[in-house]
């Protein structure tokens, strides 16, 4: 089976066939850099990072564009509230997003264009739309005429007669269903010159112009959160296809991260920031939590669910380190396994892929317990190969370096506990259960709880 992805536009699984043989092209709607990133923001970046890694196995080149919206109503409001220039505020938070993506192991995008750097391309797209009768100017604003494009609503399923763009009614629109391509200049706001007057770009125009600039008039995948399907992605598709561009051939949308059943958002005040979470758990553990569920399923955030992800990741990590300690370095070139491949090819099924990883971990632990070092090494190599696809390989340079930044106290504690646990495993193999129990009790008395699992013993501090 080849990769099949759920296409929002057709509402069905479709086999992935790139426009250019050997090259896969992806455009992902990136951040509007108005504040500190939270896990709802970065989930999209992580999901499409996994897609990129999976496509890289079968394509010579994967081009991923993730834009930055650095001019927007919200940015202007926030910067004014903090008595900062808009560009200063935007750049500070652009860096915060970059730091979050990097901390969680996202490969850097091929291109990361800023909206403000592509006004020329936006003006050209507006010119094409106006000339074709799909857009018009009114008092310095420029609008897209929804009624001029019969296919409007096909992506989102919106009925054209029920469309509401969420924009102010007090405008020069000919039809309230129309949406803004360009906003006329206002006192104190940044502006750029155009044939229709000075102003600044509308949100939807930005992405069409940047996607076309870097990926061409027709490209493979357009991705983003489900909250962008309407109006943002519907409007992108309309303005691009109205001028004859093929635009995206597949639309992929990831679900929300929710808190108490509501979408995580700054407006609602129910966000969990990346910097705050990285003070509680390690970066690969947080990545595991966010890429483990299927990208189209909602994640209901809770500390308990995060703890479960941490425990699951540490089972993988513990197995690999046990193999390395016993047999030496293990490569990451092992077999992926049919169950892993079939899960990933079925619309990026990461839950099934991780189930395949843990199955292999259990097989590897069984091999270790029976003294089958060759079998354990083969399992470890396979586990490394699978977790590398997900950006989670504990022995990779990326995450080994992360583990190496633990405090000296943490490293010393881990070394001592691992030594006691190794003695306990040896005692149990010799059926000296009294000694094994005594070792466990000594750890418990020191505040260290031990859990025996199919993946080997796991320990935690009782206060953590």
């Amino acid at each position: 089976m080849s990769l099949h992805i759920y296409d929002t536009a057709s509402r069905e699984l479709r086999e992935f066939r790139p426009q250019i043989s050997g090259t896969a092209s992806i455009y992902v709607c990136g951040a509007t850099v108005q504040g500190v990133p939270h896990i709802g923001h970065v989930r999209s970046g992580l999901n499409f990072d996994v897609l990129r890694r999976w496509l890289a196995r079968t394509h010579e080149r994967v081009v991923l564009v993730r834009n930055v919206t650095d001019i927007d109503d919200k940015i202007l409001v926030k910067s004014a509230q903090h008595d900062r220039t808009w560009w200063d505020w935007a750049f500070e938070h652009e860096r915060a997003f970059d730091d979050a993506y990097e901390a969680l192991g996202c490969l850097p995008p091929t291109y990361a264009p800023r909206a403000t750097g592509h006004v020329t391309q936006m003006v050209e797209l507006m010119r094409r739309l106006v000339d074709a009768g799909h857009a018009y100017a009114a008092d310095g604003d420029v609008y897209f005429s929804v009624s001029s494009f019969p296919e409007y609503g096909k992506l989102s399923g919106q009925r054209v007669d029920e469309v509401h763009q969420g924009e102010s009614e007090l405008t020069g629109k000919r039809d309230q269903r129309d949406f803004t391509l360009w906003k006329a200049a206002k006192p104190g706001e940044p502006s750029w010159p155009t044939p229709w007057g000075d102003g600044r770009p509308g949100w939807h125009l930005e992405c069409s112009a940047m996607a076309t600039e870097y990926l061409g008039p027709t490209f493979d995948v357009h991705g983003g959160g489900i909250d962008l399907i309407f109006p943002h992605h519907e409007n992108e598709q309309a303005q691009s296809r109205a001028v004859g561009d093929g635009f995206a051939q597949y639309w992929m949308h990831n679900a929300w991260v929710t808190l108490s059943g509501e979408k995580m958002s700054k407006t609602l005040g129910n966000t969990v920031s990346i910097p705050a979470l990285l003070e509680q758990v390690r970066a690969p553990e947080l990545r595991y939590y966010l890429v483990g569920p299927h990208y189209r399923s909602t994640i209901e955030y809770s500390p308990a669910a995060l703890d479960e992800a941490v425990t699951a990741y540490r089972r993988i990590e513990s197995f690999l380190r046990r193999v390395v300690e016993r047999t030496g370095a293990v490569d990451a070139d092992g077999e992926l396994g049919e169950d892993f491949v079939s899960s990933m090819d079925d619309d990026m099924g990461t839950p099934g892929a991780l189930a395949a990883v843990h199955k292999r971990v259990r097989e590897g632990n069984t091999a270790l317990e029976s003294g089958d070092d060759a079998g354990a090494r083969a399992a470890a190599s396979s586990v490394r190969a699978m977790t590398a696809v997900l950006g989670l390989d504990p022995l990779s340079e990326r995450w080994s370096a992360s583990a190496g930044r633990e405090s000296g106290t943490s490293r010393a504690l881990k070394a001592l506990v691992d030594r006691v646990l190794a003695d306990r495993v040896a005692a149990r193999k010799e059926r000296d259960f009294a000694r094994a129990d005594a070792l466990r009790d000594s750890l418990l008395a020191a505040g260290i709880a031990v859990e025996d699992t199919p993946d080997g013993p796991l320990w935690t501090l009782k206060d953590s």
Side-chain angles (χ1 to χ4, degrees):
M1 175 180 175
S2 59
L3 173 62
H4 286 65
I5 59 179
Y6 182 83
D7 173 33
T8 304
S10 63
R11 295 164 183 79
E12 64 181 7
L13 282 174
R14 293 176 52 205
E15 182 178 2
F16 178 72
R17 296 178 180 272
Q19 296 297 296
I20 301 173
S21 179
T23 298
S25 51
I26 308 168
Y27 184 90
V28 178
C29 278
T32 298
V33 287
Q34 58 165 312
V36 177
H38 59 67
I39 54 177
H41 289 134
V42 301
R43 184 186 185 188
S44 180
L46 288 167
N47 290 153
F48 290 101
D49 181 64
V50 173
L51 173 65
R52 175 192 190 170
R53 291 168 183 266
W54 187 239
L55 287 171
R57 296 180 56 258
T58 53
H59 295 77
E60 295 176 12
R61 185 172 187 234
V62 180
V63 180
L64 186 145
V65 179
R66 187 182 68 224
N67 76 293
V68 177
T69 296
D70 60 341
I71 186 66
D72 177 85
D73 291 345
K74 295 175 182 177
I75 293 172
L76 294 176
V77 170
K78 290 287 184 68
S79 60
Q81 288 174 345
H82 291 82
D83 196 25
R84 303 264 294 277
T85 60
W86 66 270
W87 65 84
D88 178 42
W89 185 263
F91 185 66
E92 175 184 324
H93 293 98
E94 178 184 340
R95 290 291 300 271
F97 271 87
D98 287 344
D99 289 346
Y101 290 132
E102 195 278 333
L104 294 176
C106 286
L107 299 173
T110 313
Y111 309 109
R114 295 189 184 102
T116 54
H118 296 79
V119 172
T120 299
Q121 290 84 349
M122 297 178 208
V123 170
E124 176 58 26
L125 177 54
M126 284 192 290
R127 191 191 307 276
R128 294 169 68 194
L129 286 165
V130 170
D131 290 348
H134 292 292
Y136 58 92
D139 301 324
D141 296 318
V142 182
Y143 301 100
F144 180 90
S145 173
V146 167
S147 62
S148 74
F149 186 63
E151 295 182 16
Y152 191 89
K154 284 192 173 181
L155 174 63
S156 63
Q158 292 279 325
R159 290 172 54 91
V160 176
D161 57 353
E162 296 177 354
V163 164
H164 191 288
Q165 299 291 347
E167 299 177 350
S168 172
E169 302 291 342
L170 303 175
T171 67
K173 291 182 182 181
R174 297 172 183 170
D175 186 324
Q176 288 305 317
R177 296 172 300 181
D178 297 346
F179 61 87
T180 306
L181 298 170
W182 190 259
K183 300 182 178 184
K186 295 179 181 178
E189 289 189 357
S191 62
W192 290 261
T194 78
W196 308 280
D198 292 357
R200 60 184 174 88
W203 181 29
H204 317 301
L205 181 70
E206 299 172 0
C207 284
S208 283
M210 289 185 282
T212 302
E213 174 71 11
Y214 291 93
L215 298 176
T218 303
F219 57 94
D220 297 326
V221 176
H222 194 315
I226 58 171
D227 53 321
L228 301 182
I229 297 174
F230 184 85
H232 187 45
H233 289 166
E234 186 71 66
N235 291 349
E236 281 187 56
Q237 176 166 277
Q239 63 201 10
S240 293
R241 292 191 175 176
V243 295
D245 293 346
F247 208 55
Q249 300 304 290
Y250 302 82
W251 288 89
M252 296 179 69
H253 292 94
N254 61 278
W256 291 333
V257 179
T258 62
L259 190 62
S260 301
E262 295 185 277
K263 172 195 171 187
M264 194 169 289
S265 72
K266 288 186 172 64
T267 304
L268 295 174
N270 60 351
T271 63
V272 181
S273 74
I274 299 301
L277 281 175
L278 290 180
E279 292 181 1
Q280 302 173 37
V281 300
R282 293 179 299 159
E285 295 164 347
L286 181 55
R287 182 182 175 103
Y288 185 106
Y289 174 68
L290 292 172
V291 305
H294 194 277
Y295 75 91
R296 288 194 289 119
S297 65
T298 299
I299 298 175
E300 172 69 11
Y301 173 77
S302 71
L306 180 58
D307 287 344
E308 289 177 4
V310 169
T311 299
Y313 178 79
R314 290 182 181 181
R315 286 173 179 163
I316 300 170
E317 183 179 44
S318 175
F319 162 66
L320 290 175
R321 296 200 182 282
R322 289 176 67 200
V323 174
V324 170
E325 289 170 3
R326 180 182 292 188
T327 71
V330 175
D331 62 44
D333 300 327
E335 294 290 331
L336 291 177
E338 183 178 345
D339 48 356
F340 182 89
V341 172
S342 62
S343 292
M344 292 298 292
D345 277 345
D346 185 10
D347 194 30
M348 304 296 293
T350 52
L354 282 171
V357 171
H358 285 285
K359 177 183 176 183
R360 200 72 174 108
V361 167
R362 288 191 294 272
E363 293 170 350
N365 275 316
T366 299
L368 280 176
E369 296 298 327
S370 65
D372 179 7
D373 287 0
R377 285 181 62 81
S381 182
S382 177
V383 167
R384 287 202 65 190
M386 291 187 284
T387 51
V389 169
L390 303 174
L392 289 168
D393 177 12
L395 299 185
S396 65
E397 182 177 352
R398 179 71 179 82
W399 300 131
S400 291
S402 175
R405 288 195 293 270
E406 294 176 336
S407 70
T409 301
S410 297
R411 290 195 298 272
L413 176 62
K414 183 179 183 301
L416 291 170
V417 174
D418 285 349
R419 179 67 267 171
V420 174
L421 289 178
D423 290 344
R424 181 170 174 265
V425 168
R428 295 181 71 185
K429 290 177 71 172
E430 296 168 1
R431 305 188 65 80
D432 188 350
F433 298 114
R435 174 169 168 72
D437 289 346
L439 289 169
R440 182 193 60 199
D441 292 344
S442 68
L443 289 173
L444 189 59
I448 298 166
V450 177
E451 177 189 2
D452 292 310
T453 76
D455 301 327
L458 293 176
W459 63 272
T460 56
L461 293 172
K462 288 194 296 181
D463 292 337
S464 65

